Amino acid sequence: MGESNISLNQALKVDFDKSLRLEFHGSTITSDAGLLAYRELDDALGLTDIAANSLKDIRFGKNKQHSMVAQLRQSIFSRLAGYEDTNDAERLSVDPAMRQVVGGRALLRTAASTSQMGRFETEVLTLPDNIKALMNLSGKWIDRLRNQVPMRNLVLDMDSSVSETYGRQDGTAYNGHFGCTCYHPIFCFNQFGDVEFAMLRGGNVHSADDWETVLEPIVSRYRNKKFPHYFRGDAGFAKPEIYEYLESENFKYAIRLPANNNLDYEIGHLLKRPVGRPSYEPVVWYHDFKYRAATWNRERRVIAKVEWHQGELFARVGFIVTNLRAKKRKVVRFYNMRGTAEQCIKEGKNAVKWTRLSCHDFADNHVRLQLFVLAYNLGNIFRNSAVPLPMKHWTMTTLREKVIKIGAKVVSHARYIVFQMAEVAVSQKMFAAILGRISRLRLLFGVGV
């Protein structure tokens, strides 16, 4: 059938099965109905509403068709659903699920368009006060949650990452360690996988650059909390000023030390190959000792782990500097758990695509990173607080593909709007369990009750 002969209201046909008819219903269909569960959690905890008093609005006239909070929701929830930038805003502006999520004017008309979202993210949010507010918003979300769901301790994992770039973005540079042109952002996570603070940096900075800018706001929030505080970091954060800062703030820490001749001398007796036939299982030895580098203000405890593996000529050696008093094996096990931070960074890259920093200006990309981090935190809070036990092991990517990406037909009545949701990967019973957990959270937080 020729293209000119097809009526706009006529169903399309396919040749491989004559019984099939294809109809397009535009804004009465959504592929992201599961976003409504995330919006329910957002409302129960009052998360995006926190931004109402912290973001500065410089818009005027017709540019203020949508509130700051509404556009912030559109930025965060669209990224949570896998839409990496504002290019999809035109389509999402008429999507019924996104309109419900955004609220306000979007309920009666449409959500913000591509041009409106572009101005919001590159002109409004890039104001210095707004960038600062966005950087602190993750901490406010975590405080809101943990004030009602108390913590027994705090464990901070700081790590840097790589965001490859492919254009002439401001601040990008070649990084020899990663072997690419990139940005080099830094993140600090807690033991629940939430990003406590994140910061975009140029591509050629050291891993520990700006560590105090990242760590100080977090430490100040928890300074008066009466529970143990811990910090873990890789060898990039083995700096005496970090040790001294953590000690002054009563933090217990375990930080990997780069090897050197003096450290190797201390474990010389462990570097001789074990006598006898090589074991199938690795032979592991631990040793601790007092050590003071030339730049340190005093001696500190260092723990060495030496592993002999079958078929390997040399031992695998690692050093950890710590002020923990626990047994050697326990300290090493505690340090090794910082691998969860690397998993969180991987989820941020895969689930919300926070490496997609393609704007020219550095400030624009910094804002984009903060929006990605907020989307990640909302998804992580949802996983930790709202999903039932059978779904706890799901990654954020799996939750996006199975929960957020629920297709639905939207039917409007005089008093109700009905989302007729497809029951494929997630059943009605599972979705009801999610809403039930969120309802209990609403009672706990007293928001909208």
Side-chain angles (χ1 to χ4, degrees):
M1 182 181 295
E3 182 177 338
S4 59
N5 297 326
I6 298 177
S7 169
L8 291 179
N9 296 322
Q10 182 179 347
L12 304 181
K13 304 175 183 178
V14 291
D15 291 330
F16 76 89
D17 189 336
K18 299 298 184 182
S19 65
L20 289 180
R21 296 292 184 271
L22 311 181
E23 298 182 357
F24 288 76
H25 293 280
S27 60
T28 64
I29 300 292
T30 180
S31 61
D32 302 311
L35 280 178
L36 299 174
Y38 287 78
R39 178 67 181 95
E40 179 74 357
L41 176 67
D42 170 35
D43 185 69
L45 305 184
L47 298 180
T48 54
D49 288 333
I50 296 175
N53 296 324
S54 57
L55 293 177
K56 181 180 180 181
D57 193 355
I58 61 168
R59 302 171 302 160
F60 56 89
K62 292 184 178 180
N63 290 331
K64 298 186 67 171
Q65 296 179 29
H66 300 277
S67 70
M68 293 282 284
V69 173
Q71 288 193 263
L72 180 67
R73 286 191 192 123
Q74 188 168 341
S75 292
I76 293 173
F77 280 86
S78 61
R79 285 169 168 82
L80 191 60
Y83 305 105
E84 303 162 12
D85 49 38
T86 60
N87 293 337
D88 295 292
E90 205 68 43
R91 182 180 70 80
L92 292 174
S93 67
V94 297
D95 183 270
M98 183 59 67
R99 289 169 58 201
Q100 293 294 325
V101 163
V102 170
R105 181 183 183 274
L107 296 175
L108 299 176
R109 297 190 178 183
T110 63
S113 64
T114 296
S115 59
Q116 289 172 323
M117 290 304 299
R119 287 193 299 269
F120 174 70
E121 293 187 9
T122 61
E123 296 178 11
V124 179
L125 293 184
T126 52
L127 293 174
D129 288 346
N130 285 341
I131 292 179
K132 184 177 180 180
L134 283 176
M135 294 173 72
N136 292 325
L137 192 54
S138 287
K140 292 181 178 179
W141 284 12
I142 295 168
D143 288 345
R144 173 67 64 89
L145 178 64
R146 296 303 162 191
N147 285 340
Q148 297 296 331
V149 185
M151 304 167 65
R152 294 183 178 180
N153 55 46
L154 171 70
V155 182
L156 298 179
D157 290 305
M158 186 176 286
D159 204 354
S160 62
S161 183
V162 56
S163 294
E164 294 189 44
T165 55
Y166 302 95
R168 296 182 177 179
Q169 290 98 317
D170 183 27
T172 190
Y174 181 81
N175 188 297
H177 175 74
F178 296 113
C180 64
T181 302
C182 62
Y183 287 119
H184 192 185
I186 185 171
F187 302 89
C188 191
F189 299 87
N190 61 29
Q191 68 266 38
F192 306 105
D194 305 315
V195 178
E196 293 273 354
F197 203 91
M199 183 176 179
L200 188 65
R201 305 177 301 175
N204 57 355
V205 301
H206 186 271
S207 294
D209 278 14
D210 299 303
W211 66 268
E212 193 167 7
T213 303
V214 174
L215 197 54
E216 173 58 31
I218 305 171
V219 172
S220 64
R221 287 177 27 235
Y222 290 102
R223 186 171 284 129
N224 297 322
K225 300 294 185 180
K226 304 301 182 182
F227 47 67
H229 299 63
Y230 301 93
F231 177 90
R232 294 182 294 223
D234 65 15
F237 299 92
K239 301 172 74 69
E241 54 267 34
I242 296 181
Y243 313 150
E244 295 168 15
Y245 177 81
L246 293 170
E247 290 162 357
S248 68
E249 295 290 348
N250 297 316
F251 267 74
K252 300 297 182 181
Y253 59 84
I255 301 173
R256 190 178 183 90
L257 269 181
N260 60 49
N261 291 336
N262 292 331
L263 292 173
D264 288 340
Y265 175 79
E266 294 286 347
I267 61 167
H269 60 289
L270 300 179
L271 297 181
K272 297 179 181 178
R273 179 178 295 279
V275 178
R277 184 183 296 274
S279 170
Y280 287 105
E281 295 294 325
V283 177
V284 182
W285 294 325
Y286 299 91
H287 181 58
D288 68 345
F289 53 92
K290 293 292 184 180
Y291 174 75
R292 179 178 179 178
T295 56
W296 295 7
N297 63 349
R298 64 180 182 82
E299 284 187 337
R300 292 182 171 87
R301 185 188 186 194
V302 173
I303 295 176
K305 179 184 180 183
V306 180
E307 296 180 78
W308 288 97
H309 289 255
Q310 186 182 37
E312 295 185 7
L313 183 60
F314 299 104
R316 302 180 189 180
V317 180
F319 298 97
I320 298 171
V321 59
T322 183
N323 60 351
L324 289 165
R325 297 181 179 178
K327 294 181 179 179
K328 299 184 288 289
R329 188 188 298 268
K330 190 173 182 180
V331 172
V332 172
R333 189 182 303 119
F334 169 74
Y335 171 80
N336 288 340
M337 290 175 66
R338 69 166 298 277
T340 57
E342 297 174 359
Q343 289 299 115
C344 292
I345 289 176
K346 186 180 294 184
E347 283 208 308
K349 291 180 177 180
N350 294 335
V352 297
K353 304 297 194 324
W354 68 25
T355 57
R356 183 67 182 271
L357 306 175
S358 54
C359 295
H360 176 270
D361 292 346
F362 184 86
D364 295 350
N365 285 319
H366 196 180
V367 165
R368 287 172 62 85
L369 177 64
Q370 300 304 322
L371 293 172
F372 281 121
V373 165
L374 290 170
Y376 166 88
N377 275 344
L378 179 57
N380 192 58
I381 292 171
F382 182 88
R383 176 174 56 183
N384 290 336
S385 304
V387 301
L389 189 60
M391 300 165 64
K392 285 288 186 182
H393 68 283
W394 288 10
T395 66
M396 287 177 59
T397 302
T398 302
L399 285 169
R400 183 189 68 208
E401 298 303 323
K402 292 187 176 182
V403 178
I404 293 178
K405 296 297 181 181
I406 296 178
K409 179 181 179 181
V410 184
V411 179
S412 297
H413 299 286
R415 297 179 58 188
Y416 301 102
I417 298 175
V418 180
F419 280 72
Q420 298 177 346
M421 304 172 74
E423 192 171 9
V424 182
V426 175
S427 65
Q428 180 179 357
K429 182 179 179 180
M430 296 171 72
F431 208 89
I434 292 173
L435 295 181
R437 292 174 70 92
I438 296 174
S439 179
R440 290 191 290 273
L441 284 173
R442 186 183 294 278
L443 292 174
L444 180 63
F445 283 80
V447 178
V449 178

